[in-house]
Amino acid sequence: MENREIPYKIYLSEKELPDSWYNVRADMKVKPAPLLNPGTHRPMTAQELSQVFCEDLVAQELDNETRYIRIPGEIRDFYKMYRPSPLVRAYCLEKKLGTPAKIYYKFEGNNTSGSHKLNSAIAQAYYAKKQGLKGVTTETGAGQWGTALSMACAYLGLDCKVFMVKCSYEQKPFRREVMRTYGASVTPSPSETTEIGRRILQEHPGTTGSLGCAISEAVEVATHTDGYRYVLGSVLNQVLLHQSVIGLEAKKAMDLYGVKPDIIIGCAGGGSNLGGLISPFMGEKLRGEQDYRFIAVEPASCPSLTRGKFAYDFCDTGMVTPLQKMYTLGSSFIPSANHAGGLRYHGMSSIVSQLYHDGYMEAVSVEQTSVFAAAEEFARVEGILPAPESSHAIRVAIDEALKCRETGEEKTILFGLTGTGYFDMVAYEKYNNGEMSDHIPTDAELAAGFAGIPRFEGNEF
Amino acid sequence: MENREIPYKIYLSEKELPDSWYNVRADMKVKPAPLLNPGTHRPMTAQELSQVFCEDLVAQELDNETRYIRIPGEIRDFYKMYRPSPLVRAYCLEKKLGTPAKIYYKFEGNNTSGSHKLNSAIAQAYYAKKQGLKGVTTETGAGQWGTALSMACAYLGLDCKVFMVKCSYEQKPFRREVMRTYGASVTPSPSETTEIGRRILQEHPGTTGSLGCAISEAVEVATHTDGYRYVLGSVLNQVLLHQSVIGLEAKKAMDLYGVKPDIIIGCAGGGSNLGGLISPFMGEKLRGEQDYRFIAVEPASCPSLTRGKFAYDFCDTGMVTPLQKMYTLGSSFIPSANHAGGLRYHGMSSIVSQLYHDGYMEAVSVEQTSVFAAAEEFARVEGILPAPESSHAIRVAIDEALKCRETGEEKTILFGLTGTGYFDMVAYEKYNNGEMSDHIPTDAELAAGFAGIPRFEGNEF
């Protein structure tokens, strides 16, 4: 099979677009722990969750059993605007590295949001529309998720209110403008428009914000405005479910050519891209059908898997969300301002956390100067200018390919290229000018992230 | 044939990538007029042109006879990084407009240069490398061509010196940074680094520059630096030859589904995208095999086809290049600073000019506020955020589709979506804030563009 000539880019046809998402929880022996009510420390009920999230999404969030969930036709039609996305054989990078490894990447950046985020944005907007809502609220950091949601809402005619982390709002006026072009309202967070925003501004004057703050504000607006619900771009089970379309397509494309990856690599912020990419492969591993090595790559400056605690924590800084069991740096943790790009969330998807905890995957952390070096090397031979987030995966893919050059092993490496870096040129400029540095948090800085997190039975940190 | 279900995106396989460019000049009864030596007013010889351009490119420039010119394997390999590009059926736009028209667009923005420019950049860089040169110089306005050339040079290991129109350099620091990431040096033009730049700065202190100025500087550096040649991103015959890959792919994709376009629309700055898109269709029309309507769309603020003169003129402001017969506003014309985006070149490809002059195509001019309105309408339903340049074609495609809604005609419309607008958010912001206005040059402003252009026999303006 492997003899069949593999093109630079494998495009599935639109008919081969998956008709169902794959729910990896169905194959997990140990399920991710349930969300807890922060007052009672008891599992959140569907009814409680429906105050915040759309009903169909609550059902997906709580469903640990159904292996395949049908993708509605309207969502599939939207997917056809930019999917199936290409699986690229990195011939040029392999040649440049002089490696016997075979490198593939699933490229999710060929859409205006510039990332994989659109896969879940359209799904969440669709269910909001179906429920008859007027609009949705959300947060955005680097801006990819906010852009994706704006696009989905514009397409469906829903209102979209985005709270954008203040430092990104200021550093990325163009991202803000793209969202406005798609009709969204964009507010820098923390803002004076919410109670929680005012409180955070009072307690931390001059703060540049964090995803955790922006989530608090978006949740407040959603729960206090008639006909609105909150939507989240990562971390949640439902988001990983939607993102499984990445892995399903990647696997189908590889199967067409009889290729099996030895190593699968994804960058990890909240875990949505990583979880989506690995899902169907992980399913095979969980069912004992096939073995793969999975590597989650996170920034050394925000190392939730490699240096965080596996415990119940809030998803937000304002401590208004349910508690989620995950690898976390503590919801009070705010990464160093010198950290460029996304992947700055304090926690990690429960699914990814549980799989990591149970030994099904590895995690490594990398420093940003080495990430931008990999990004530049990649861009110059593969053409695509990668997002800083995606470049974490590139770094480790290159490292693994270089190991193969040493050992002579012809490993097959698959990584997720989640997006493009067109809106990240401030960070690239810093790197090009030799002004970028690394920041590895001290143990004391990490400990501070847990201030105020509740301790209770089963929350051993 | 038309009954076969047409997907949202038609992707040819890499094997279907054209193996030759199509040279429309071979089928033109009246060939484009030759370049003239500005001193003698006699046709430039290959030897004279080789002082400025690479030898193989000079041969392509002068070749009015060879219908198909083979694409070297190395260029085809590079093309495979981002080609074949998708031909998209604009189902969502059709639905939004409520038109019986069938709208297709050839999308050339799925690469880091964000435009079709890469098609010629890699070809020109390849021939420079083949000739053993050290590097190339060029100009860039909006920055797409400079980015494309930087990418091609990084891939081949050539040095790349870009003169960037000063107002773009300042308004688009991110474009500049992308070029630097690909290893290019970028100088704002006019600059103090060249004799012509110093002269222009002295004569026009505070000028924000123009493509014509930047060309003068790039040519000066190329002709005064050992091992360098100048390359140009549009206008020239060789560039239209390379860009024919757009039309060849579009035609092959349509032929696969038995679709014939009634109207083919392209935005027109220097004419490279338009010329490339229409070439193979125009060939059929020139040979009397099939009729098509072709529409060139240009900005009302820089209307070379609709209000210019068909005459010999310089390609640059400094009047150092050969004379080219074309529709021109005069090489001293500088479009209003209020004009956003590209398509600000004073002249037009000789091929396009001749075809227009001979009645094979139409031209219309549109105002920029209506262009951005079309861009936004398109983005919200088709997902892609278009470049302002490309949006000129969108405007007219929408207008034609709306006419079909009136008449009930089921016309098939094909337009070129040359690129994405990710680096044009300053212009979008202006539009979103309601601060954009239009500028239609007065007759006196247009007349000023011809100051100093030589008059001689056969140059009747």
Side-chain angles (χ1 to χ4, degrees):
Chain A
M1 287 280 271
E2 271 241 41
N3 289 335
R4 193 172 150 200
E5 197 189 334
I6 293 171
Y8 281 62
K9 301 177 297 321
I10 306 174
Y11 277 106
L12 299 174
S13 73
E14 280 162 23
K15 290 198 172 116
E16 291 170 300
L17 192 70
D19 53 16
S20 298
W21 293 301
Y22 165 64
N23 182 4
V24 72
R25 285 167 286 165
D27 285 310
M28 289 170 71
K29 278 172 209 85
V30 183
K31 308 294 181 190
L35 293 167
L36 297 188
N37 181 311
T40 64
H41 296 176
R42 300 182 59 167
M44 294 284 287
T45 63
Q47 203 190 351
E48 285 172 323
L49 286 170
S50 299
Q51 306 302 308
V52 181
F53 300 113
C54 308
E55 287 155 18
D56 283 329
L57 293 169
V58 168
Q60 292 179 0
E61 190 64 27
L62 297 176
D63 186 342
N64 285 341
E65 305 304 332
T66 311
R67 187 171 276 120
Y68 288 100
I69 294 178
R70 201 184 67 81
I71 306 175
E74 294 87 337
I75 297 177
R76 276 171 53 95
D77 281 348
F78 185 90
Y79 278 171
K80 287 176 190 164
M81 292 197 333
Y82 68 103
R83 306 202 69 84
S85 71
L87 178 74
V88 187
R89 173 75 184 269
Y91 283 119
C92 301
L93 182 62
E94 292 170 16
K95 192 174 153 197
K96 172 84 184 306
L97 298 175
T99 177
K102 290 161 186 164
I103 308 175
Y104 293 83
Y105 54 91
K106 181 69 170 166
F107 180 43
E108 292 289 316
N110 265 353
N111 69 74
T112 294
S113 81
S115 81
H116 66 294
K117 298 284 187 180
L118 205 47
N119 301 328
S120 185
I122 184 59
Q124 296 193 49
Y126 167 78
Y127 291 115
K129 179 86 177 176
K130 187 174 161 221
Q131 195 175 322
L133 298 176
K134 287 183 211 157
V136 290
T137 72
T138 199
E139 78 296 328
T140 199
Q144 295 170 334
W145 167 246
T147 307
L149 190 67
S150 306
M151 291 172 67
C153 287
Y155 181 81
L156 295 169
L158 274 178
D159 185 40
C160 179
K161 297 183 195 300
V162 179
F163 287 87
M164 186 170 187
V165 176
K166 192 182 276 175
C167 63
S168 291
Y169 184 90
E170 286 163 2
Q171 277 179 18
K172 300 191 172 188
F174 295 170
R175 271 282 187 205
R176 177 191 75 210
E177 224 41 54
V178 176
M179 291 184 255
R180 287 184 69 207
T181 301
Y182 283 94
S185 74
V186 187
T187 307
S189 166
S191 76
E192 296 283 352
T193 67
T194 66
E195 202 177 306
I196 194 88
R198 290 189 291 273
R199 200 182 79 204
I200 291 170
L201 282 171
Q202 206 162 43
E203 288 170 10
H204 307 279
T207 177
T208 55
S210 71
L211 268 181
C213 295
I215 293 174
S216 302
E217 292 200 84
V219 170
E220 181 182 320
V221 171
T223 50
H224 289 69
T225 314
D226 199 38
Y228 280 74
R229 289 294 184 282
Y230 167 72
V231 297
L232 181 64
S234 189
V235 181
L236 296 174
N237 297 338
Q238 56 184 272
V239 180
L240 268 74
L241 175 70
H242 307 148
Q243 295 297 358
S244 68
V245 71
I246 304 172
L248 290 165
E249 283 185 10
K251 188 161 188 311
K252 195 177 279 189
M254 293 190 119
D255 285 349
L256 274 180
Y257 288 85
V259 176
K260 284 278 173 210
D262 298 297
I263 311 175
I264 303 174
I265 301 167
C267 61
S272 74
N273 141 70
L274 174 74
L277 174 68
I278 68 175
S279 275
F281 300 98
M282 182 61 83
E284 289 190 334
K285 182 162 176 165
L286 290 166
R287 296 191 301 270
E289 295 164 10
Q290 182 83 30
D291 196 21
Y292 301 99
R293 235 186 109 195
F294 300 102
I295 308 177
V297 190
E298 57 184 17
S301 53
C302 193
S304 53
L305 286 172
T306 52
R307 294 180 68 197
K309 297 177 180 181
F310 190 47
Y312 267 106
D313 190 8
F314 292 101
C315 300
D316 68 326
T317 308
M319 304 193 188
V320 302
T321 63
L323 292 164
Q324 170 151 327
K325 187 159 187 186
M326 56 185 173
Y327 278 87
T328 175
L329 297 165
S331 49
S332 300
F333 178 81
I334 295 185
S336 161
N338 115 351
H339 171 69
L343 308 183
R344 46 197 308 128
Y345 187 62
H346 66 273
M348 178 58 63
S349 139
S350 280
I351 294 174
V352 169
S353 294
Q354 192 65 51
L355 290 167
Y356 176 62
H357 189 71
D358 293 343
Y360 287 104
M361 58 192 296
E362 305 161 38
V364 295
S365 75
V366 290
E367 296 177 28
Q368 66 179 354
T369 48
S370 75
V371 166
F372 276 83
E376 191 179 279
E377 184 164 20
F378 178 84
R380 290 190 182 188
V381 292
E382 289 289 320
I384 299 165
L385 186 84
E389 299 83 33
S390 325
S391 305
H392 286 70
I394 297 176
R395 173 73 274 159
V396 173
I398 289 179
D399 291 344
E400 290 293 332
L402 291 176
K403 281 184 207 162
C404 291
R405 190 173 68 186
E406 296 306 309
T407 62
E409 288 173 289
E410 292 188 21
K411 287 189 181 163
T412 297
I413 298 169
L414 166 64
F415 72 90
L417 188 70
T418 55
T420 51
Y422 307 140
F423 292 94
D424 299 287
M425 296 318 297
V426 169
Y428 271 97
E429 182 173 15
K430 214 168 166 182
Y431 176 75
N432 290 337
N433 291 341
E435 293 160 0
M436 181 172 281
S437 60
D438 296 310
H439 178 79
I440 300 178
T442 62
D443 290 343
E445 282 170 325
L446 287 187
F450 287 90
I453 314 301
R455 289 175 178 257
F456 52 90
E457 198 181 322
N459 202 25
E460 51 287 329
F461 66 84
Chain B
M1 286 282 268
E2 270 241 45
N3 290 334
R4 192 173 149 199
E5 197 189 334
I6 292 171
Y8 281 62
K9 301 177 297 320
I10 306 174
Y11 276 106
L12 299 175
S13 73
E14 280 162 22
K15 289 199 174 115
E16 291 170 300
L17 191 70
D19 54 16
S20 297
W21 293 302
Y22 165 65
N23 183 4
V24 72
R25 285 168 285 166
D27 285 310
M28 289 170 70
K29 277 172 211 85
V30 183
K31 308 294 180 190
L35 293 166
L36 296 188
N37 181 311
T40 64
H41 296 175
R42 299 183 60 165
M44 294 285 287
T45 63
Q47 203 190 351
E48 285 172 322
L49 286 169
S50 298
Q51 308 301 310
V52 181
F53 300 113
C54 308
E55 287 154 18
D56 284 328
L57 293 168
V58 168
Q60 293 179 359
E61 190 64 28
L62 297 176
D63 186 343
N64 285 342
E65 306 303 332
T66 311
R67 187 171 276 120
Y68 289 99
I69 294 178
R70 201 184 67 81
I71 306 176
E74 294 86 339
I75 297 176
R76 275 172 53 96
D77 281 348
F78 185 90
Y79 278 171
K80 287 176 190 165
M81 292 197 333
Y82 67 103
R83 306 202 68 85
S85 71
L87 178 74
V88 187
R89 173 76 184 268
Y91 283 119
C92 301
L93 182 63
E94 292 171 16
K95 193 175 155 198
K96 172 83 184 306
L97 298 174
T99 177
K102 290 161 187 163
I103 309 175
Y104 293 83
Y105 54 93
K106 180 70 170 165
F107 180 42
E108 292 288 316
N110 265 353
N111 69 74
T112 294
S113 82
S115 82
H116 66 294
K117 298 283 187 181
L118 206 47
N119 302 328
S120 184
I122 184 59
Q124 296 193 49
Y126 166 78
Y127 291 116
K129 178 87 177 174
K130 186 174 163 224
Q131 195 175 321
L133 298 176
K134 288 183 212 157
V136 291
T137 71
T138 198
E139 77 297 327
T140 199
Q144 295 170 334
W145 167 247
T147 307
L149 190 67
S150 305
M151 290 172 67
C153 287
Y155 181 81
L156 295 170
L158 274 178
D159 185 42
C160 179
K161 297 184 196 299
V162 179
F163 286 87
M164 186 170 187
V165 176
K166 192 182 276 174
C167 63
S168 292
Y169 184 90
E170 286 162 2
Q171 278 179 16
K172 300 192 172 188
F174 296 170
R175 270 284 185 203
R176 179 191 73 211
E177 225 40 55
V178 176
M179 290 183 255
R180 287 184 68 207
T181 301
Y182 283 94
S185 74
V186 188
T187 307
S189 167
S191 76
E192 295 283 351
T193 67
T194 66
E195 200 177 307
I196 194 88
R198 290 189 291 272
R199 200 181 78 204
I200 291 170
L201 282 171
Q202 206 163 42
E203 288 170 10
H204 306 280
T207 177
T208 54
S210 71
L211 268 181
C213 294
I215 293 173
S216 302
E217 292 200 84
V219 170
E220 181 182 319
V221 171
T223 50
H224 290 69
T225 315
D226 199 38
Y228 281 74
R229 289 292 185 284
Y230 167 71
V231 297
L232 180 64
S234 190
V235 181
L236 297 174
N237 297 339
Q238 56 184 271
V239 180
L240 268 75
L241 175 71
H242 307 147
Q243 295 297 356
S244 68
V245 71
I246 304 173
L248 290 165
E249 282 185 11
K251 187 159 189 313
K252 194 177 279 188
M254 294 191 120
D255 285 349
L256 274 180
Y257 288 85
V259 176
K260 284 277 171 211
D262 298 297
I263 311 175
I264 303 174
I265 301 166
C267 62
S272 74
N273 142 71
L274 174 74
L277 174 68
I278 68 174
S279 275
F281 301 98
M282 182 60 84
E284 288 189 335
K285 182 162 176 166
L286 290 166
R287 295 191 301 270
E289 295 163 10
Q290 182 84 28
D291 197 21
Y292 301 99
R293 233 185 110 195
F294 300 101
I295 309 177
V297 189
E298 57 185 17
S301 52
C302 193
S304 53
L305 285 172
T306 52
R307 294 180 68 198
K309 297 178 179 178
F310 189 46
Y312 267 105
D313 189 8
F314 293 99
C315 300
D316 68 326
T317 309
M319 305 191 188
V320 302
T321 63
L323 292 164
Q324 170 150 327
K325 187 160 187 185
M326 55 185 174
Y327 278 87
T328 175
L329 297 167
S331 48
S332 300
F333 178 81
I334 294 185
S336 161
N338 114 350
H339 172 68
L343 309 183
R344 47 196 309 130
Y345 187 62
H346 66 272
M348 179 58 63
S349 138
S350 281
I351 294 173
V352 169
S353 293
Q354 192 65 50
L355 290 167
Y356 176 62
H357 189 71
D358 292 344
Y360 288 103
M361 57 193 297
E362 305 162 37
V364 296
S365 75
V366 291
E367 295 176 30
Q368 65 179 355
T369 48
S370 75
V371 166
F372 277 83
E376 191 178 279
E377 183 163 21
F378 178 84
R380 290 190 182 187
V381 292
E382 289 289 320
I384 298 165
L385 185 85
E389 299 83 32
S390 325
S391 305
H392 286 70
I394 297 176
R395 173 73 276 158
V396 174
I398 289 179
D399 291 345
E400 291 293 331
L402 291 176
K403 281 183 207 162
C404 290
R405 189 173 68 185
E406 297 306 310
T407 62
E409 286 174 290
E410 293 187 19
K411 286 190 183 162
T412 298
I413 298 169
L414 165 64
F415 73 90
L417 187 70
T418 56
T420 52
Y422 307 140
F423 292 93
D424 299 287
M425 296 317 297
V426 169
Y428 271 97
E429 182 172 16
K430 213 168 166 182
Y431 176 75
N432 290 337
N433 291 341
E435 293 160 0
M436 182 172 280
S437 60
D438 296 310
H439 178 79
I440 300 178
T442 63
D443 289 343
E445 282 171 324
L446 288 188
F450 287 90
I453 314 300
R455 289 175 178 259
F456 51 90
E457 197 181 322
N459 203 25
E460 51 287 329
F461 67 83

